[in-house]
Amino acid sequence: MSHISGDGPIERDGLQLPRAGHGARSMANSALSYGPRGASLAASGAPGSFSSDLRSTMVSRATNSRADYVLPGGLDAVAEDERTLAEQRVARLREKLNRELKIKEGSENMLEALNMKKAKQTKDQRSKVELELNTSNRKIGQLKIQIEELQNSKESAPPVRDRIPNIPQPEYLRNGPYEAEPVPSTVSEEDAESESPTFALAEILQSFENEGMQPDYYVERANSLVELLKRHPTLKYDLAWSVFGLRMQTMLLSDSKEVVAAGYRMTRYAITDRTSLETIRGLKSDYLIILSLVKDSRASVEREQALKLVRAFLDVKDGVREVSRAVVRTMVAVAEHTEDRLRSICIETLAEILIRDPPLVVSSGGIGPLTDILGDGTYEASESLVTAFLYLLDMPSGRRYLQAGHGLEVVFSAFTDSLSSHGPELKLKTNARVIAAMLKSWSGLMALSMYNFRAIRSLVASLQFPETKVRDVILELLFDILRIELPSWSSSFLAGRRLTTYGRVANLKSQTTQASTETAPKDGSGHRNLIDHYLALMLAVLFEAGLMKALMDILKGNPEPVLKRKTTLLLGEVLKLASRLLPSTRSAQLQMLPDLFSSASAFGAHQRFIATGTVYQIDSVNRTLYRSGSMAAPASLLKAGSGGQSHDATRQPDQSKLKINAQIDEAQFRSLMLESQVLNSANYTKWRWDILHAIVEGPLLNPKRLDEAVRVTKFMKRLVGFYRPFKYRFSDIRNSKPNQRYLRLGCALVRTLLQTPEGVKYLSENKLLRQLAECLAQLDRMSGLTSANPLFSPMRMAETLSGGYFAFLGIMSADSKGLVMLERWRIINMCYHIIELSDRADLVKTLLGNIDFTLYDIRIFATNLLRRYATSLTKSGGKDTGEIGHSEWAIRLLVTQLYDPEVEVCETAVKILEEACDGKSCLEYVVKCRPALDHLGEIGAPLLLRFLSTSLGYRYLDGLDYITQEMDDWFLGRNDTYVGLVEASLARAMQEPERLAGAEDTIGRAKRGIAPPHFYRELTRTTEGCKLLQEKGHFEEFAATIQEHGMEKDDPEIILKVKGCLWAVGNVGSMDFGAPFLEGTNVVELIVKIAEHSEVLTLRGTAFFVLGLISRSLHGLEIMHEYGWDGATTTMGESLGFCIPQDLRRLFSIKPWSQDNGGLEVAAKSDYPELDVLEATPTSNRVLELVVDLANTVLTKRALSDLMHIKSRKPPDFRSPQLFHKVMSILQSRNYRLPVRRFIIDLFDKSVLRRIVLDEEEVGENGGQSEQGNDEEEDDDDDSDLEG
């Protein structure tokens, strides 16, 4: 649903004034503008405001008002400059003050953490922190004094306006209707602070008493009142509604559209609570809102503000109860009118009311139009509209307002209707998105699976239609709901090219993420993806609905080549998913493709050749998919410069072998050099790199042999010259697995030269380091050096071995002699500047993965580097952090970041450490670092939970008295909070397309769809934790709650409690140590009963996922098999945690329900009982009969002509408030199209509404007839709409 934003120009600058000389209601265009659509119904910004794709056509202009008056001579600019300079200085000082406050806060948190440790161990560290804290306090005091002095000097200086002589007022400002009227809307900031809100309010309200003024006069006052309420939000609580309400009624009864719109806006900002809404309704505002909404497009500004006022009701707690059924009926009519500009906003408002008060929309006849809007495919935000229906489907209390098995199935009509009636492709795609949204939610899947999967069967059966357009859209829909990401070679395959070379590494770089997901469906800690469990169920449903047969029929029907290839690709992916997710009892038979092979083996039949070709294509696709998955892993070693190179390239050689190889004589050494071909040719492709590697790691460690290679021959000159950056040999070699040998030799060469004084001297004098420093300077903005094609550009880092130079720097940083050379060429200083590059996260990661910080005391550099990496990871998506998670120095630095004053850095450090703790060795090392996380609160909770998974971590946390406190916290409330976390994670993972996930942060994407860490799960990993759980008896309490309230269907709080208990039981049962807890109770039987018989659909879904958790352990899998549920396992018998019932109908057994019309047939309760008494006359009786006939499409034309005939006689009945009220009651209880509603209301004299609202008596017999005649032209204009 579209984003509820601010009011646009209306809320920023107030309503535009009307043009002078025009009738107020003759202006057809609005001064509103709107922002783009978003995805939320929650109101934000101004109360009741909204935005849509409507466009304003009114050109804003200047009017003769004091708001546009500018002093001559640029005196305003002088004053502005003086204020700006002072404000800039204050802003800079405040920024410094905020920074010092953060440092102070971080130091205090650090001191609290150190106080929990032994004093002897932290004496030095505590003294440093205390020194930093004292320095911050001193700076804070100085900054506060400076800010106070600047503010005092600013207040004491007289304004520029007071230091200049009076300037005569222009003539056009002294004359006119504003001569003696102040304009409160032009209050300056200084006056606004010193003004009296009550006095200003009384002054503005008093100015409304002036009658006969121009419309812009009232608009100005209304805008001033709104600005006053914005400046003083509490002022609206002091409004005297006896006075304000009368002013509001007077403005809403005005003949000017702008004045009426300003009245609605003014009223909207005066809303406080439900009592104020009741007061507004008591002022007959419902009739006024209905009158505004039924007007034509010429009153767009008035209609928009009226609708905003209705939306403001929804912003108040229980405000939806004050929205009348007559207003909702009118919004339904607007939503049905396809050409109305407010249609989209009315649809969204109706959807929001449907969620908050379903009986109101149902009794107003809104369900039918909303389902029709879903089916016609013209509404762009249909996916968000269907969310309201899915919300109602969840519980029986909301489900009863919908018709079982119908309503939502209207979206399938675009695919299942006869071939001649298939709509345009846009409608098909829109409806496909709606179907995808339903199938990606538990409520939608359960509703569409009713009546033996009738709706899904109809969709699958639509593939039988020989309509390429329909088949293509359905295939795309299947790719979407099954979360199948097309491989990189799919476009070439669909274009008809052969699948012979697509498995190469060069073409499969994009497959890395997908392959890692497919080959490792769980993370290291055992958290399997819940989305995969849901996909397993969806696959089983599709197979039950006949998907495989439909795909086979398409292939055997010899369709168009592109459609055939897409079907083949989908079939291969589906079979691949089935083999991974489904139990062998379901997937084994599918993999054989019996129908296709029987056709291929039917010798003599013409279909045999088509089936044979299809079998070949499926086999080719499967083999290519397998190569894609298997070859993506080595491809991942070549990404992001040298991120994956350093681990292999910088490994230490075998020292025993080096000692032997170094002891060779001069003749043998010369023979080796000649055999390496370095002395014979300068072409590196002719060199023997295996011999070179033996020379570098052996004889060159001998100072004599090294000196001979340097002085006597060109061996070292050519070898080291090959690695010089500006030779463009090594730096231009393509980054591939075979070419890693050049990098390995280079790392070995640098390491060897650092072993001897002769080698250090040669390396320091060689041009290698000087040129490398120059290349780094090209990235340093402080150096002044630039290059059109820098060596370390993103493209070269990804595609060539240029990133290998950072591996050389890493080896030198691990040696004291190498550090001296790096300092000589200021490489360390340049690295300081490189990490400040916000757009080069690849360089930050490469530096982080290669440079060694252990032997060089540059802790500040390491901290800044890691902080920069963490911040860029959070803000710009970052890179994978798997490489740094297993390095001890990186873990130590990450633990240091836990005390950083920036919360963002701490949060990212916790996420990276949590991922690093997937490995047991890393987890134990993090525990040995003994990080204090109390100051982080909820941010550090996930990391502390991971500590529980080992005995070492358990003892550490037990010593901090963390376990018992956290256990009680989870038992008393955190279980309920966990439900919201896991459901939000599932919803986000399901609704967001997989192909768009690459643009988001790596850490967040890796955890999406995976159950967040649960305290009881981590506790059950150790024997100590199981013993504590047994002593506390929490598991038995959870089982008792499930047994007592498992079938609850009405109370949301109890349902939430049951869900929390289910997740706790499932997490305990998923561990091997949790088997005794499952055996001691019958909780699994209770959960199976909830999954198969609960009337709350999301509670069924929770039970389904919990059964999957239980099936992850071998013991749990055996229990599930006893209750008729099959689980998927690997070839080694390990459970994958995906279990589905053997008979799917048990899970989808929903009993049909009876629809509740929400009081649709009950007469509406009168809001104004004083108008219920009507003196019956023949004319009034006939009018009421004809108004009723207008609701019948068959009788509409005759009723229109009869009413026009009665109106032409100008009877007094059309000036009767009682008859008007009776007609409005009829409009409230029946469906009428928007033009018909407008026609009915325009039959009455406009004085009728004034008399009803203001409780006035009729002035005379002919009162109001003159105004009635003014609307005859509008009535004539509406005839064309009514006839249509």
Side-chain angles (χ1 to χ4, degrees), residues 495-507:
R497 300 174 189 169
R498 296 183 62 188
L499 288 176
T500 54
T501 60
Y502 301 144
R504 295 178 181 174
V505 173
N507 293 332

Side-chain angles (χ1 to χ4, degrees), residues 590-612:
L590 298 173
Q591 304 294 333
M592 298 173 62
L593 300 177
D595 294 339
L596 191 61
F597 276 96
S598 62
S599 300
S601 59
F603 298 96
H606 176 69
Q607 296 291 333
R608 170 179 175 271
F609 301 101
I610 299 176
T612 304

Side-chain angles (χ1 to χ4, degrees), residues 1183-1203:
V1183 168
L1184 294 177
E1185 292 175 0
L1186 293 175
V1187 169
V1188 173
D1189 290 344
L1190 285 175
N1192 189 334
T1193 55
V1194 178
L1195 305 176
T1196 299
K1197 189 171 183 180
R1198 182 181 60 81
L1200 285 173
S1201 61
D1202 290 349
L1203 283 172

Side-chain angles (χ1 to χ4, degrees), residues 1165-1176:
K1165 179 181 178 182
S1166 176
D1167 296 317
Y1168 313 112
E1170 68 275 7
L1171 300 175
D1172 287 341
V1173 180
L1174 174 64
E1175 296 181 3

Side-chain angles (χ1 to χ4, degrees), residues 747-761:
C747 293
L749 179 61
V750 173
R751 190 183 299 107
T752 297
L753 292 176
L754 291 173
Q755 300 300 315
T756 59
E758 291 80 1
V760 171
K761 180 181 179 182

Side-chain angles (χ1 to χ4, degrees), residues 616-766:
Y616 170 76
Q617 272 200 334
I618 293 174
D619 179 64
S620 179
V621 167
N622 282 334
R623 283 188 284 107
T624 308
L625 288 173
Y626 176 77
R627 289 200 304 269
S628 301
S630 60
M631 298 188 69
S636 64
L637 299 175
L638 310 175
K639 64 180 181 179
S642 65
Q645 300 161 354
S646 59
H647 300 285
D648 180 53
T650 61
R651 63 178 185 268
Q652 294 288 339
D654 189 352
Q655 295 295 331
S656 60
K657 203 177 280 188
L658 296 183
K659 291 179 181 178
I660 298 174
N661 293 336
Q663 306 304 322
I664 62 175
D665 56 19
E666 182 178 352
Q668 291 176 320
F669 180 58
R670 289 186 178 182
S671 175
L672 283 174
M673 288 192 296
L674 288 174
E675 191 175 351
S676 68
Q677 301 298 320
V678 174
L679 300 178
N680 298 335
S681 173
N683 187 353
Y684 70 91
T685 59
K686 297 182 180 180
W687 297 352
R688 296 283 303 277
W689 290 93
D690 53 342
I691 298 178
L692 284 175
H693 206 90
I695 293 175
V696 169
E697 293 185 343
L700 288 187
L701 289 172
N702 188 328
K704 284 188 177 182
R705 304 284 86 84
L706 177 61
D707 184 70
E708 181 180 351
V710 172
R711 296 180 180 276
V712 180
T713 67
K714 294 183 178 181
F715 180 83
M716 288 298 295
K717 181 179 179 181
R718 287 184 175 178
L719 182 59
V720 177
F722 166 75
Y723 290 99
R724 280 164 52 184
F726 293 154
K727 290 282 188 178
Y728 294 106
R729 294 180 180 177
F730 172 77
S731 58
D732 275 359
I733 296 177
R734 186 173 181 81
N735 187 358
S736 62
K737 189 174 183 179
N739 292 338
Q740 294 297 305
R741 57 179 179 171
Y742 305 122
L743 176 58
R744 287 194 291 269
L745 180 64
C747 293
L749 179 61
V750 173
R751 190 183 299 107
T752 297
L753 292 176
L754 291 173
Q755 300 300 315
T756 59
E758 291 80 1
V760 171
K761 180 181 179 182
Y762 178 78
L763 185 60
S764 61
E765 295 175 353
N766 195 272

